[in-house]
Amino acid sequence: MKHLELTPRLQLLADWVRPGAKLADVGTDHAYLPVWLLLHHRVEHAIASDLRQGPLERARQTGRAWQVHDLDLRLGDGLSGISPDEADTVVIAGMGGEHIAAILAAAPWTRDGCHTMLLQPMTRAQELRSFLADNGYAVVREALVRDRGTLYPVMEVRAGEMTLSLGQLHAGVQVTQDPLGERYIIEKIIRLQGAVAGLNRSAAPEDRERADRLRDIITALLEMREEWRYAQCR
Ligand SMILES: C[S@@+](CC[C@H](N)C(=O)[O-])C[C@H]1O[C@@H](n2cnc3c(N)ncnc32)[C@H](O)[C@@H]1O
């Protein structure tokens, strides 16, 4: 049988799943991650859940194609159809950061200390980090992964306390230790500089204020870049 190969983004998530875990993959779409984990006997049980019927049907087809018969398929919004004792590891990947935050907010049991969340926001990661810091979660590990030319953050999250600097909020909790950190910080700075240039063309006071806030973020990111360089020399 052909080998099921994960993309680098999904492979990093798979590598972070504790062996023997009870997994819930929320927003599973094709269910490549849970099917790979079941095929490699890495998990005790895997729920593949999605909001919509179409993706869930794709998940079913992936299970069939790889002759994985114990994939537990669920139709539902976020974690609403999954009870806390059914999973010790929750993966929410491939969605916007604010969407991931909303799914966690609707399932407060995810911060009971018994669960590990593996989160991979495609956009607005800073909104997710801000939600986590304000709601009793801590990022215990964070890494960047390059997939088809784009850098994505992947976070391991548990119940806990954390305080983040402005730079960490925007670039990541452990970005100064990450081999891909400098590239990620520079890409963020370039995007923010573009936004500031656009806002500078406006005379509206709210745009001026927004430009000031973005400049503060750029300054924080430039400091993080220095920290990254310092960390690489040690
Ligand atoms: C881009 S796919 C990501 C697939 C896979 N997790 C990945 O990272 O490659 C996003 C999936 O999330 C599902 N989704 C969006 N909102 C959801 C929600 N509130 N609850 C469950 N699934 C959701 C969508 O239907 C879609 O199948």
Side-chain angles (χ1 to χ4, degrees), residues 27-232:
T28 197
D29 200 353
H30 290 271
Y32 292 135
L33 177 71
V35 167
W36 189 94
L37 288 165
L38 285 167
L39 271 175
H40 289 79
H41 308 290
R42 294 272 188 100
V43 288
E44 185 189 307
H45 185 247
I47 297 171
S49 147
D50 207 284
L51 180 63
R52 295 180 295 124
Q53 194 65 58
L56 208 65
E57 192 44 44
R58 287 197 281 275
R60 194 186 313 278
Q61 283 164 11
T62 304
R64 258 196 224 123
W66 297 96
Q67 292 171 25
V68 168
H69 304 296
D70 47 353
L71 184 65
D72 185 347
L73 294 162
R74 306 275 177 96
L75 187 67
D77 187 353
L79 285 154
S80 60
I82 298 166
S83 63
D85 57 330
E86 288 186 294
D88 53 35
T89 306
V90 173
V91 173
I92 314 177
M95 297 179 208
E98 75 290 12
H99 199 156
I100 296 175
I103 290 173
L104 293 177
W109 55 263
T110 53
R111 52 175 186 265
D112 64 2
C114 304
H115 293 86
T116 299
M117 273 64 63
L118 301 179
L119 311 178
Q120 188 280 299
M122 301 302 268
T123 54
R124 299 186 186 221
Q126 72 281 6
E127 286 185 29
L128 176 58
R129 290 189 198 96
S130 172
F131 165 83
L132 295 171
D134 292 346
N135 288 279
Y137 298 90
V139 175
V140 295
R141 175 160 54 153
E142 181 163 353
L144 292 163
V145 61
R146 191 190 298 279
D147 200 325
R148 280 172 270 185
T150 303
L151 292 174
Y152 298 103
V154 175
M155 305 170 196
E156 179 177 340
V157 170
R158 301 213 189 114
E161 297 281 308
M162 70 172 175
T163 308
L164 301 180
S165 67
L166 187 60
Q168 284 178 314
L169 198 63
H170 285 269
V173 176
Q174 295 167 354
V175 73
T176 57
Q177 317 297 323
D178 196 307
L180 298 169
E182 187 182 38
R183 168 74 9 219
Y184 190 65
I185 293 167
I186 290 171
E187 285 177 8
K188 286 221 165 278
I189 291 172
I190 291 170
R191 270 203 298 279
L192 287 167
Q193 284 172 334
V196 170
L199 290 166
N200 281 344
R201 285 193 283 276
S202 161
E206 60 272 23
D207 287 342
R208 296 271 153 186
E209 279 168 27
R210 180 151 166 71
D212 285 343
R213 283 201 299 278
L214 297 189
R215 268 190 287 270
D216 288 344
I217 299 168
I218 292 172
T219 304
L221 291 176
L222 287 168
E223 281 166 17
M224 286 207 99
R225 185 188 182 199
E226 285 311 304
E227 279 175 43
W228 182 90
R229 288 184 165 178
Y230 181 71
Q232 304 310 305

